[in-house]
Amino acid sequence: MKINKNLAISENGFCLNPVTGESFSINPIGAEIIQLFKAGMTSEKVVKELCTSYNIDEATMERDLYDFVNVLKHHQLIQADEKN
Amino acid sequence: MKRTKITVGVTGINPIDSPGPGIPVIRGIRDSVEMESRIIGLSYESLDPGIYMHELVDKTYQLPYPSAGADRLLDRLEYIQSKEHLDVIIPNLDAELYSFIKLEPQLKQMGIHMCLPTLFQFEERHKFNLDEFGKKYDIPVPKSKTIYAPEEVYGLEKDFMYPVVIKGKFYDAGIAHNPEQAKTYFNKISAKWGLPIIVQQFVMGNEYNVVGLGDGKGNTIAAVPMRKQFITDKGKAWAGISIDEKILLDMTRKFVKATKWKGGFELELMKDANGKYFLLEINPRIPAWVYLAVGCGQNIPEALVKLALGKKVEPYTDYAIGKMFVRYSYDMIVDISEFEKITTLGEL
C-alpha cells in the first residue's frame, strides 16, 4: 500500500491532501494505519500489527482495513497506480 | 537596502461581494521590501471602499466609466499624471482593459508604464473564442458556443447536454437545466453585460484556479494554484488553499509559453470525476485572491510592477503549500465630508 507521499498528517489526525487541497479529520486508529503505510508496511503487516495492539481477530481487522482503504482510494489519498 | 520610491496607480479598489483585485494588489506592493510606494487609487464609484482605506491608498481619483471610451480616459489620466507623476498603472478590471491596452503607447509617452497582454492576446483568450483557443494550444476546454439571440437556446440540445452554463461576455454566469432557464439567464445577463452570450457545457467537479504572471517572452514568472474551499452565491472564492498540483503548473507554463502571455492572469479550471482538468476561462488580469500568492512567497503585484518598469525579474520557483486565505467583510466609519469630496471633486 502506498499513501501519497506528500500527504501531510498531524498528530491530531488532521490530514491535508496537498494535491487536491482537501482536508480530513481521521480518528486515531485511521491516523495510525496511515502512519504504518507511510512507514512502508504492507497491508498484511498492518493487520498483524493492529491485531496484536488491539487484541482483535484477524478477519475483522482485515475487513475494517479493506473498508478504510476504499475510503482512502475514494479521496485519492492512495497513489492511483497502487492496486493493493 | 535602499528602497526605490515609486508611484503606482491601481484600479479595481472595490473589495465588495464580487471583489475587485485592487486592494490585494496594493497589499502586495506595500509588502515589498524593495519599493517604497505611493499608491493612487483609481475608482469608478464614489462608494468603492478602497477610496476610504487611507492606510493602503494615499489618494484616489475617479475615472470615467469604460463605456465613455478611451479618449475620455486619456484626458482624465493626463490630468492625474500632471498631479501625481505615476510610474506604473495596474488596471485590474476586465471591462477597462481594452481601453488601457489601446492607450499603452500614449501612457508610456507620459511616463506611465504598464504590464499588459497585447490586444491579440486579450482578444484571443475571450470566452467566446475558448473553443478555438483550446484547439490551437492543445488545452482541454468544455464545449462552448456563442449565441446572440434568446431564441438560439432552443437549438442547444443538438450540441449540448443539459445542464449548461450561460455566461456573460465579461462577468456573470448561471447554470441552466432546460431551455427556459437558459433563456432567462440569457436575458438577465445580456441586459447587464451585453452580447454575445456564451453557452458552455457544464462540467461537474471541483473548481481550481491558478494565478500567474508572464513576462511576454514565454516565461512564467509566477504561478500559484489554489482550490476554492468556500464559494459565495456569486461564485467568488471566500476561502481557498494553495495546492501542490503539478498538472496545473504544467498547464500554466504551457499556456504562457505558447501565447507568450504578458502580465497577470488567472486560469479558471474544473476537475471532473475522472481527474481531468478543463480550462473554463482565462482572466487577463490579476484575480482578487492574489494575496494568497503573496502569502505563499510569490509577490506577484511587486513582480508585475518590476516587469512594467522593464526590470529583470527572476521567475519564482517555489511557494508554500497548504496556505489558506479566508476573506472577511469589515465596516469602515466614514465622515460625510470625504464622500462629499469624492462625489463633487472626483478626488480624495
Side-chain angles (χ1 to χ4, degrees):
Chain A
M1 185 62 54
K2 211 165 191 180
I3 297 290
N4 278 346
K5 65 174 187 286
N6 294 329
L7 194 71
I9 183 161
S10 76
E11 282 177 7
N12 300 325
F14 181 82
C15 178
L16 168 70
N17 183 343
V19 176
T20 64
E22 289 172 306
S23 54
F24 309 89
S25 283
I26 294 174
N27 69 21
I29 306 243
E32 189 179 346
I33 292 170
I34 289 179
Q35 296 294 12
L36 293 173
F37 281 138
K38 282 191 95 172
M41 271 196 192
T42 62
S43 298
E44 292 74 26
K45 278 194 176 172
V46 170
V47 168
K48 281 198 169 60
E49 174 86 16
L50 294 176
C51 284
T52 313
S53 302
Y54 297 100
N55 193 23
I56 192 169
D57 68 275
E58 209 166 304
T60 307
M61 190 60 239
E62 265 179 15
R63 194 180 61 234
D64 287 354
L65 185 68
Y66 179 79
D67 287 346
F68 183 60
V69 164
N70 275 337
V71 174
L72 295 178
K73 275 184 186 164
H74 176 73
H75 292 293
Q76 300 167 30
L77 301 173
I78 293 171
Q79 282 180 8
D81 57 343
E82 288 296 319
K83 301 287 182 228
N84 185 15
Chain B
M1 182 191 287
K2 191 165 183 273
R3 297 167 85 199
T4 316
K5 286 196 175 177
I6 188 164
T7 305
V8 184
V10 180
T11 73
I13 53 169
N14 52 332
I16 54 171
D17 57 346
S18 177
I23 294 300
V25 164
I26 293 167
R27 289 180 70 198
I29 296 169
R30 291 283 198 213
D31 281 1
S32 171
V33 291
E34 296 175 36
M35 298 185 293
E36 186 184 333
S37 53
R38 175 170 162 78
I39 300 292
I40 305 302
L42 302 167
S43 68
Y44 291 98
E45 301 284 350
S46 305
L47 286 173
D48 281 350
I51 298 169
Y52 308 98
M53 299 170 80
H54 303 305
E55 71 285 7
L56 289 172
V57 181
D58 294 300
K59 172 136 190 184
T60 299
Y61 293 84
Q62 296 272 46
L63 293 183
Y65 286 120
S67 56
D71 291 343
R72 287 276 309 278
L73 177 62
L74 183 61
D75 288 347
R76 184 64 174 154
L77 291 174
E78 279 173 348
Y79 167 78
I80 296 168
Q81 185 63 349
S82 71
K83 302 275 182 191
E84 299 296 343
H85 309 292
L86 297 167
D87 298 298
V88 173
I89 288 182
I90 306 179
N92 288 306
L93 302 172
D94 293 359
E96 69 189 4
L97 278 174
Y98 181 83
S99 296
F100 274 100
I101 292 170
K102 279 282 202 192
L103 292 177
E104 197 165 11
Q106 288 100 311
L107 296 185
K108 197 165 187 180
Q109 277 190 339
M110 288 159 54
I112 300 173
H113 301 82
M114 295 189 291
C115 181
L116 293 177
T118 63
L119 202 53
F120 177 77
Q121 290 168 339
F122 178 73
E123 297 286 356
E124 191 183 36
R125 59 85 235 172
H126 260 304
K127 288 177 214 178
F128 45 84
N129 289 333
L130 198 64
D131 245 7
E132 282 180 29
F133 186 92
K135 281 179 202 147
K136 184 175 172 185
Y137 297 113
D138 191 27
I139 294 173
V141 296
K143 188 179 182 59
S144 63
K145 185 182 181 180
T146 304
I147 59 173
Y148 293 86
E151 292 72 33
E152 288 185 66
V153 302
Y154 292 107
L156 293 176
E157 292 96 331
K158 279 186 282 178
D159 302 317
F160 294 87
M161 285 216 340
Y162 279 97
V164 296
V165 186
I166 306 294
K167 291 185 158 189
K169 186 166 69 170
F170 292 124
Y171 303 102
D172 241 343
I175 298 167
H177 292 82
N178 54 51
E180 283 66 38
Q181 286 181 356
K183 194 174 174 183
T184 304
Y185 281 124
F186 181 101
N187 289 326
K188 192 178 154 196
I189 296 171
S190 62
K192 200 169 176 189
W193 299 108
L195 294 171
I197 288 291
I198 299 97
V199 181
Q200 202 171 70
Q201 184 61 58
F202 177 73
V203 179
M204 175 71 90
N206 289 317
E207 284 188 56
Y208 291 82
N209 295 57
V210 183
V211 55
L213 178 66
D215 69 354
K217 296 169 189 161
N219 301 309
T220 301
I221 299 299
V224 175
M226 174 272 286
R227 177 176 187 247
K228 290 183 181 180
Q229 291 180 299
F230 186 96
I231 301 171
T232 67
D233 56 359
K234 291 200 170 182
K236 304 296 166 189
W238 204 253
I241 185 165
S242 63
I243 57 167
D244 179 20
E245 175 56 292
K246 192 173 173 302
I247 299 170
L248 289 178
L249 291 173
D250 288 345
M251 274 177 95
T252 304
R253 290 192 193 102
K254 184 177 174 183
F255 157 73
V256 173
K257 192 174 180 187
T259 60
K260 293 194 165 44
W261 188 268
K262 189 174 178 198
F265 63 87
E266 179 192 30
L267 304 183
E268 292 187 11
L269 302 111
M270 192 68 91
K271 187 180 184 182
D272 73 5
N274 301 317
K276 183 175 178 182
Y277 286 100
F278 289 89
L279 181 64
L280 303 184
E281 254 179 72
I282 301 162
N283 291 317
R285 37 99 193 139
I286 290 174
W289 58 274
V290 68
Y291 198 72
L292 175 66
V294 180
C296 290
Q298 298 199 4
N299 193 333
I300 292 177
E302 179 193 37
L304 186 141
V305 167
K306 288 181 358 191
L307 280 181
L309 290 169
K311 293 184 180 173
K312 187 166 167 52
V313 182
E314 287 301 323
Y316 285 106
T317 54
D318 207 5
Y319 61 91
I321 294 152
K323 286 272 183 208
M324 293 167 57
F325 78 89
V326 183
R327 202 166 272 168
Y328 71 107
S329 61
Y330 179 91
D331 299 340
M332 290 183 288
I333 303 303
V334 175
D335 198 275
I336 189 72
S337 62
E338 296 205 325
F339 180 64
E340 180 195 333
K341 271 185 199 160
I342 191 74
T343 308
T344 56
L345 304 174
E347 53 189 270
L348 177 67

